[in-house]
Amino acid sequence: MDDETSEIIPDSPPLDLLTVETILNRRWPETRIEPTLDRITALLDLLGNPQTAAPVIQIAGTNGKTSVSRMIDALLSGLGLRTGRFTSPHLQLVTERISIDGEPISAEQYVRTYADIAPYIDIVDARSEQDGGVPLSKFEILTAMAYAAFADAPVDVMVIETGLGGTWDSTNVVDSTVAVITPIGMDHQDYLGDTMASVAGNKAGIINAGATAVIGPQTAEAMEVLLARAVDQDIAVARYDSEFTVLRRDLAVGGQRLELQGLSAVYSDIFLPLTGEHQAQNASLALAAVEAFLGAGRSRELDADSIRDAFATVSSPGRLERVRTSPTILIDAAHNPHGATALAAALRSEYHFGRLVGVLAVMADKDAEGIMAALAGSFDEVVVTVNSSPRSMPAEELADIARDIFGDANVQVADRMDDAIALAVELAETGGPGEGDPHGAGVLITGSVVSAGDGRTLAGLTPS
């Protein structure tokens, strides 16, 4: 690293990934937003507006955003386009958030990108503080880093997942070609409001003039808000179960086989290596988004073999992901009641364990009671613990909630995630009815994206 880069932060060691993360973690956390795009706009202006370097597919919603983003990425890549994908939060390593050609950027590129924009961060911070404002947040900087990396690559299309909400999310500084809305549920009420209409209204902020809105399954209340926004912006709309849908879904070894009604054609015999009806719906949404991006129409059918090949390569780490067998250990990033409900439905329809033990660690600012209530019929026993985040709810506090839902006798407490997993494995293998059952025993780690990431790390899996 040259002297100029080393001097970005006086009297500090040369930049590496840990140093950059330490610097960024001193800023506003990603769970805190302010209703303004002024700071991120100012930073991107100084950087030459890299967010305009390629067309954008932007994704907002409550659940399924990352899975849909990864599917869109795979489909575009399979059709010969170079992609840049920005998702959040990460499971294990922050570099997962910025992917080029379907792969996370290296730690070296992450550090280099930060070093390149650091002087401009200082300028924006100084201007903001002079005007009585606050410095750039961590997420604003990560957003700028992603746009800068994609422009530098360069990529043919940017696949951009919002972080929190839509209207005031720092990613929402683009004129997207396609605005994708995944299913909306109640989450982040402190910032998005305590009604479905207010949450949907904030997420609808990515639906802007010139885009095509592609809308996944929604409640009637959320759909009304989204359609009103689309009408206001005078743009075309495609809706799940109307312009596109899942025509057929069959369980298959390692996933499911689908027939999808797209905007331009029916695509059959698609193997998706992910489980759950919600992932089938995500696949339908991703396909429609790509068709809209490339120009949907009856004469614009995409190459079916390329679509099949692309879907077969899709992965979505931390989403009902199997990380061990004998006993089976699954991880899932469900972190709100809406996501936990989808998880419970997938467990009922596609997994038939003789005995299943849950490992639960939930953030203190999340609806732990709602998450566990949605999973009430899914587990024979649960082990509550903490994950690696300082925001994790204390295990005993979580246990008090869990006992009311699962019963005193079915709740165990562990002080650490690794101990919790070991205890859950023991309970699954020796704890009762599942012993000797032909369906076997299983463990599911869930409750938070961080919990899922911890499960992956403890299983020895590398970030992807």
Side-chain angles (χ1 to χ4, degrees):
M1 192 171 292
D2 58 33
D3 291 341
E4 180 181 351
T5 299
S6 300
E7 291 174 1
I8 290 173
I9 304 169
D11 302 321
S12 68
L15 289 179
D16 56 19
L17 186 61
L18 178 60
T19 303
V20 171
E21 280 302 277
T22 300
I23 293 167
L24 293 180
N25 284 337
R26 295 184 187 130
R27 293 178 175 268
W28 265 20
E30 297 174 74
T31 53
R32 184 177 180 184
I33 61 172
E34 186 180 25
T36 179
L37 297 175
D38 291 348
R39 292 186 302 272
I40 183 65
T41 299
L43 178 57
L44 292 171
D45 282 345
L46 290 173
L47 297 176
N49 290 304
Q51 77 278 12
T52 66
V56 173
I57 299 176
Q58 190 173 18
I59 302 98
T62 301
N63 290 299
K65 290 183 297 181
T66 298
S67 291
V68 170
S69 297
R70 294 178 74 101
M71 291 178 191
I72 291 172
D73 191 341
L75 290 169
L76 292 170
S77 296
L79 292 168
L81 296 175
R82 190 175 199 202
T83 58
R85 185 183 76 239
F86 181 55
T87 56
S88 62
H90 60 277
L91 283 170
Q92 296 171 268
L93 195 63
V94 69
T95 53
E96 299 167 30
R97 299 185 183 213
I98 304 174
S99 294
I100 296 175
D101 294 327
E103 296 292 334
I105 63 173
S106 66
E108 292 76 17
Q109 186 175 358
Y110 183 91
V111 171
R112 184 169 62 250
T113 302
Y114 172 77
D116 287 345
I117 74 170
Y120 304 100
I121 294 171
D122 292 341
I123 292 171
V124 174
D125 283 348
R127 289 177 180 173
S128 179
E129 292 173 350
Q130 187 176 26
D131 293 337
V134 298
L136 286 153
S137 70
K138 177 179 181 178
F139 191 72
E140 287 172 321
I141 294 172
L142 291 175
T143 301
M145 289 172 60
Y147 286 134
F150 298 155
D152 187 57
V155 301
D156 297 318
V157 55
M158 302 181 191
V159 181
I160 305 294
E161 176 189 332
T162 60
L164 198 163
T167 302
W168 303 115
D169 189 79
S170 65
T171 64
N172 198 27
V173 288
V174 293
D175 295 320
S176 58
T177 301
V178 179
V180 181
I181 308 292
T182 68
I184 294 173
M186 298 303 296
D187 201 12
H188 300 295
Q189 287 97 316
D190 289 349
Y191 291 104
L192 306 182
D194 57 4
T195 68
M196 184 65 74
S198 63
V199 173
N202 192 290
K203 294 179 186 293
I206 72 164
I207 300 175
N208 293 311
T212 296
V214 182
I215 304 175
Q218 306 292 343
T219 65
E221 188 176 6
M223 183 65 82
E224 182 179 358
V225 172
L226 297 173
L227 292 179
R229 171 72 178 183
V231 168
D232 181 66
Q233 297 298 308
D234 192 24
I235 63 172
V237 176
R239 298 156 295 171
Y240 179 80
D241 256 353
S242 182
E243 286 74 30
F244 63 95
T245 194
V246 178
L247 294 175
R248 180 169 178 171
R249 185 177 83 92
D250 298 310
L251 301 186
V253 175
Q256 52 193 311
R257 200 161 294 277
L258 308 174
E259 183 176 48
L260 303 178
Q261 172 65 65
L263 301 180
S264 303
V266 173
Y267 301 86
S268 303
D269 198 28
I270 292 172
F271 175 69
L272 180 68
L274 302 174
T275 56
E277 183 180 8
H278 61 293
Q279 292 291 18
Q281 294 170 347
N282 287 339
S284 178
L285 180 58
L287 175 61
V290 171
E291 287 182 304
F293 177 77
L294 295 174
R298 292 188 178 181
S299 62
R300 302 295 301 273
E301 177 179 355
L302 303 178
D303 182 73
D305 287 337
S306 296
I307 296 301
R308 292 187 192 100
D309 290 345
F311 270 125
T313 69
V314 167
S315 66
S316 193
R319 278 72 185 177
L320 263 178
E321 180 183 17
R322 186 189 300 263
V323 298
R324 175 181 154 176
T325 56
S326 190
T328 295
I329 298 181
L330 302 170
I331 58 174
D332 192 88
H335 59 280
N336 53 44
H338 189 268
T341 298
L343 170 58
L347 290 172
R348 285 193 303 271
S349 67
E350 297 175 40
Y351 294 89
H352 304 285
F353 294 107
R355 182 172 178 76
L356 182 63
V357 178
V359 175
L360 303 176
V362 181
M363 297 300 194
D365 58 347
K366 292 292 184 177
D367 182 3
E369 183 175 1
I371 292 169
M372 288 191 284
L375 294 168
S378 299
F379 303 121
D380 296 284
E381 288 190 75
V382 297
V383 180
V384 298
T385 187
V386 294
N387 59 40
S388 58
S389 170
R391 294 193 296 116
S392 187
M393 181 177 291
E396 286 295 344
E397 184 178 339
L398 189 60
D400 287 340
I401 300 171
R403 291 185 185 106
D404 289 338
I405 294 169
F406 298 102
D408 290 354
N410 298 319
V411 177
Q412 305 288 336
V413 181
D415 292 332
R416 300 175 5 160
M417 178 65 75
D418 54 351
D419 292 336
I421 295 171
L423 176 56
V425 168
E426 180 182 353
L427 292 170
E429 291 183 321
T430 64
E435 195 169 7
D437 189 288
H439 294 304
V443 170
L444 171 64
I445 304 163
T446 191
S448 167
V449 175
V450 177
S451 302
D454 289 349
R456 279 193 117 245
T457 299
L458 290 167
L461 299 181
T462 57
S464 61

